[in-house]
Every structure is written in structure tokens, then in C-alpha cells.
Amino acid sequence: MALAGGLCAGPAPAQAAPAQKPNILFILVDNLGYGELGAYGGGATRGAPTPRLDRLAGEGLRLTNMNMEPQCTPSRSSMLTGRYAIRSGTYAVPYGGMPEGLTQWEVTMAESLSEAGYATALYGKWHLGSQDGRLPNDQGFDEWYGIPRTTNEALYFASPGYAPEHMAPEQIMEGRKGQKSRELKVYDLDQRRLMDAELTRRSIDFMERQAQARRPFFAMASLTQPHYPTLPNPRFAGSTGHGDWADMLAEMDHNVGQMLDAVDRLGLRDNTIVIFASDNGAEYIQPYDGWSGPWRGQYFTAWEGGIRVPFMIRWPGKVPAARVSDEIVHGVDLFPTLARIAGAGVPQDRPIDGVDQSDFFTGKSGKSAREGILVWVDNRLQAVKWRNFKLHFYQQDNMMSAPAKLPVPFLADLYTNPQENESKRVFASWVTGPMLKMIGAFEASVKKNPLIPMGTPDPYLPPAAARP
């Protein structure tokens, strides 16, 4: 998609972006709970130390209040578009029977960075459309390899009576910009075990090629672990002696270390932004369920365990090392932040919910550029966070529970009640004032820019643009 007319000219002042554009290595993992890594209280306590990730956490900024949307598709949509997924019709994991994923009208971070001269690639899980026209190479990535949907489909082959003629198995695919993607092989349980090692290898190969070409790159290593079934690579199976989950954690740490070593070997360390994050909270499905650390709940819910995730960013000489912050940040902020740093543009013809966090990340400001977030679960505004307070409008204990509208919203102080225990309800109703302003601002924006319904086919044009 051409961005002309839809973007500002970028953060125009020349001094706003460095003369040499930084590379971006974005390592995104799937359903890693807040408490899994050593730097977040896990690691050895989960059966496997995570030395490479812990070291990365100390080499830059580590956030303790990074928030994502609570499901895979919405979180990936929000990070790549800078918009709450409710706006894009991507507010829930798709289950088939309708067009799925992002419409071509949406502008992604990859498209913006590509327009700014970056080589772009995604290796791994996509989950934002599985048909030609809505695959990564249709949404700004020069090349991609991975799975269009999600890892649990590898379990089809272990299901009694599985009939591929009624439900085709997921395929591992690859594609290049301007071409149709092609199917390579079936994503079964054997391939599930091998996938992340292959994604790591391809990510490194991409960085090597761009380093040789002296071209800035955006490499999105969208790893599939620890999404269920949590099965480690055969090289790591049994390596910890503490089961598949710990073996997977050791494998993840190793894979990240391999990519970091490649950055160093290529002489790119000082000019490469490395981001590590999880797409949402901990895995829920047993026996693969993860750990949310001090927080309540897991993914598919508005509890902190569903939305608060590990996040670290390293950029030597720009992002101060050994810094930890509990300031609120949301996944939607990544697009405007990275666009500002890279000298790229952000769409001006639609609401952008993300805010530029470059001053906060680089230490020029000790405060986040936001004080609160809206928390959507499916198409419901389930909660609002503002500073250390959180207001729940629905009760939903886990992904299997039906949401129940609360007659009186439940207000929690996350400092004194991190588990969001209903018996510790706060009655300081003054804090609902700024929360209601946030909701009002969102609702006002929807009146001017209606939400895109889930299942909307291409071509899509917003109602105002569609008028003669």
C-alpha cells in the first residue's frame, strides 16, 4: 500500500531522527507470562535460568507495566497499526467462516518503515489474515516465512478421527512482496518442535544480508513459543530435567542469544534497537499453562495477568542501561515511537491510539507519555487503567468464563491490591473522572471514524471516504 497522502512527512525536523537510521530487531514471543523470565522473578524458579534474556534486560530499559491486548490477534494488530484492535475489526482471534485479519486499508509499521527505506521481514506467527491479500507480504513486509494462523492447529494430527478433507491442516508458508505466498509443508507436531530454531536461523540470515547491503532493517522474529502445545526442540528436550516447559524456556533463551550474538558479530550492536516482548499474558490451557508472577489471571481476560507482559528495549548509547520503570506503556505505542526514531511517518487520516514514547525510552523523560489505557476483551470495554488504579466493568475469571456485567464497577488500587481481589474494593470514586474522560474521547473519535466490523472484506474505505 502506498502511503502518500495518508502519512505526515514524518517527524520533519532533521534532528528528530539520527542521520544513520537504526536497525530494529523486534523479538515477539507468544503467550509468555509476566513471571517466566529470571528478570521478572522466573527463570530458575521455573526450572530453567534465562541468562541471555536477563542480561538483555540489564542492558537497556525493562518495563514492569507494559500492557498488551489480551489475545494474539488483537495484540499483533495493535502493535503494527498503533490502533486499538477494536477499531480494525481484529478484536478477537478469528475462528473462520469470514474474512479475517487486517483490511488492506490499514497502514502497518512495516509499510511505514518500508517507505522510509527499511528492508522488512517477518519470520514466525502472523495471525492477521491467512489468505493472499492479507498475509505479511501484503502488509509491508518484503519477505516472510512462518504460519499464517496459530500453533494449536498442529494438534489436529493428534486428534482422534482427524479428517483433513473437512479441516485442512495449517501450512508453513513463505512469500515476498509483490508475489503470492506459497505453501511449503504441513505444520504438524514435528514441525512445531523445529519451528523456532528455523525462525531464528532465518532472522539471522536476513540481518546478515542487510548488513552486507548496508541497508537498515526491521526484522520481526515472531517466535511461536510458548503457545500450546509447548514442545521444545529435540536439541533441548530433557535438557533441564524439569519438563517441557522448562526445556522450552531454555530453548527460547538460547534462540534470543543467537540473534543477539549475530547483531554483535555483524558490528551492528550500537546501531540496532532490540526489543523483546510477549504478545499478551500467560498461557491458560493445561498442561501448558504459564505463570503471571504477582498478577491475577491469564490471557483472554482483563486481569493484569492477561495484559501485563515482559518488555525490554536495548539501544546502546541511546536507551540508558540498567533502567527499570513501572510507567504505563501500551503495545499501540510501538508504531509511533519507532516511526519517530526511524524518521518514518504515521497515518494522519485515522485515529492513532499510540503515543510517541521515544523521549521516555531514551531517558529524556522519566515519565511515560501516557497515564492510562483502555482494556478491550473481544468487543467489550472490559476495564480502564489510569495511573495505579483500574476500573473493571465486567467479571470474567478466565478465558472459559462468560463475562458478566457488574452492577457496580469494581475499582482496584494495583499498588495495594495487585491481585485485584474484589474484597479490597476502592471507593475513592474521584479517580473515575480521568477514566471517563478517556472513554469519552474514544467514543467521540468513533463517531467521526466508525469501527471496522470484524469480517469486513477488501476493498474497504471508511464511510466518509466512500461518499461520492
Side-chain angles (χ1 to χ4, degrees):
M1 173 185 287
L3 306 188
L7 295 177
C8 64
Q15 65 270 23
Q20 185 181 10
K21 293 179 182 293
N23 306 303
I24 301 166
L25 171 60
F26 183 10
I27 304 169
L28 182 67
V29 294
D30 198 4
N31 303 349
L32 184 73
Y34 182 95
E36 303 291 0
L37 305 179
Y40 286 86
T45 67
R46 293 288 282 149
T50 53
R52 297 307 304 270
L53 280 160
D54 297 348
R55 188 190 313 170
L56 176 65
E59 292 172 339
L61 170 63
R62 178 169 67 88
L63 297 182
T64 57
N65 202 350
M66 179 64 177
N67 300 266
M68 297 289 186
E69 303 213 30
Q71 301 178 40
C72 300
T73 293
S75 64
R76 292 157 193 268
S77 171
S78 65
M79 281 183 277
L80 284 173
T81 66
R83 288 155 51 84
Y84 287 127
I86 188 73
R87 295 194 188 273
S88 306
T90 51
Y91 54 76
V93 170
Y95 288 101
M98 63 175 70
E100 60 180 280
L102 291 169
T103 65
Q104 293 178 355
W105 177 81
E106 294 288 346
V107 174
T108 70
M109 185 193 313
E111 288 176 287
S112 176
L113 292 172
S114 181
E115 287 279 320
Y118 279 72
T120 57
L122 180 140
Y123 300 106
K125 174 177 173 175
W126 174 237
H127 221 181
L128 291 173
S130 56
Q131 301 297 320
D132 276 312
R134 293 195 174 182
L135 290 166
N137 54 323
D138 305 305
Q139 303 282 15
F141 290 99
D142 295 328
E143 57 186 81
W144 86 285
Y145 170 96
I147 53 174
R149 293 185 299 278
T150 187
T151 289
N152 51 282
E153 293 188 33
L155 285 167
Y156 288 172
F157 298 91
S159 302
Y162 172 55
E165 66 271 20
H166 294 298
M167 177 64 82
E170 185 169 24
Q171 298 282 330
I172 298 172
M173 303 179 71
E174 70 176 358
R176 292 183 176 274
K177 188 180 291 184
Q179 302 175 12
K180 286 189 175 182
S181 296
R182 65 190 186 102
E183 297 178 346
L184 299 176
K185 64 185 77 171
V186 170
Y187 187 49
D188 57 17
L189 289 174
D190 288 337
Q191 291 301 319
R192 193 274 169 280
R193 290 183 179 273
L194 300 174
M195 177 58 78
D196 279 18
E198 180 63 11
L199 302 179
T200 300
R201 185 191 71 78
R202 287 176 179 259
S203 298
I204 292 171
D205 175 72
F206 175 75
M207 291 190 290
E208 290 173 341
R209 285 185 279 124
Q210 306 317 315
Q212 186 173 12
R214 297 183 180 277
R215 186 178 179 189
F217 61 76
F218 170 46
M220 189 167 181
S222 184
L223 303 181
T224 63
Q225 298 283 21
H227 194 293
Y228 83 97
T230 311
L231 302 174
N233 186 284
R235 284 184 56 202
F236 288 87
S239 63
T240 67
H242 300 299
D244 283 346
W245 187 275
D247 293 346
M248 173 281 302
L249 204 55
E251 179 193 354
M252 177 187 292
D253 192 68
H254 171 80
N255 288 334
V256 171
Q258 292 287 100
M259 287 184 269
L260 296 176
D261 286 347
V263 170
D264 289 352
R265 173 170 50 81
L266 294 168
L268 302 176
R269 182 185 181 94
D270 289 346
N271 197 44
T272 299
I273 299 169
V274 177
I275 294 173
F276 177 92
S278 178
D279 64 343
N280 46 244
E283 181 64 68
Y284 173 78
I285 303 298
Q286 296 181 0
Y288 312 107
D289 49 322
W291 188 40
S292 301
W295 313 112
R296 175 179 178 177
Q298 292 156 307
Y299 66 6
F300 281 75
T301 74
W303 303 119
E304 288 298 284
I307 61 174
R308 199 181 289 221
V309 302
F311 179 93
M312 52 195 78
I313 178 171
R314 183 188 79 183
W315 188 14
K318 306 293 194 304
V319 172
R323 183 171 167 226
V324 180
S325 176
D326 196 54
E327 290 287 302
I328 295 177
V329 180
H330 193 281
V332 292
D333 299 338
L334 294 180
F335 183 2
T337 301
L338 292 174
R340 173 64 184 270
I341 291 171
V346 176
Q348 301 295 294
D349 61 348
R350 64 202 68 191
I352 298 295
D353 300 296
V355 296
D356 175 14
Q357 298 282 12
S358 57
D359 283 352
F360 171 57
F361 284 178
T362 57
K364 294 177 184 177
S365 172
K367 291 288 187 180
S368 168
R370 69 163 66 247
E371 288 190 300
I373 62 168
L374 304 180
V375 183
W376 304 90
V377 180
D378 290 339
N379 59 351
R380 301 180 303 278
L381 179 60
Q382 198 134 321
V384 181
K385 282 178 68 171
W386 181 76
R387 295 185 181 176
N388 54 298
F389 294 97
K390 189 171 177 186
L391 187 67
H392 288 268
F393 301 109
Y394 289 82
Q395 175 77 30
Q396 184 187 16
D397 289 335
N398 56 59
M399 69 181 295
M400 302 301 183
S401 304
K405 185 73 179 290
L406 293 170
V408 178
F410 160 49
L411 180 63
D413 181 341
L414 295 173
Y415 286 164
T416 60
N417 185 13
Q419 282 282 306
E420 298 169 270
N421 185 331
E422 292 89 341
S423 68
K424 297 182 179 180
R425 182 184 295 264
V426 173
F427 293 97
S429 59
W430 69 269
V431 303
T432 62
M435 293 177 173
L436 294 175
K437 286 182 181 178
M438 292 166 57
I439 297 172
F442 180 86
E443 291 176 344
S445 75
V446 170
K447 289 180 180 178
K448 294 182 179 179
N449 300 271
L451 306 178
I452 300 175
M454 196 171 194
T456 296
D458 289 313
Y460 168 80
L461 284 176
R467 296 186 196 124

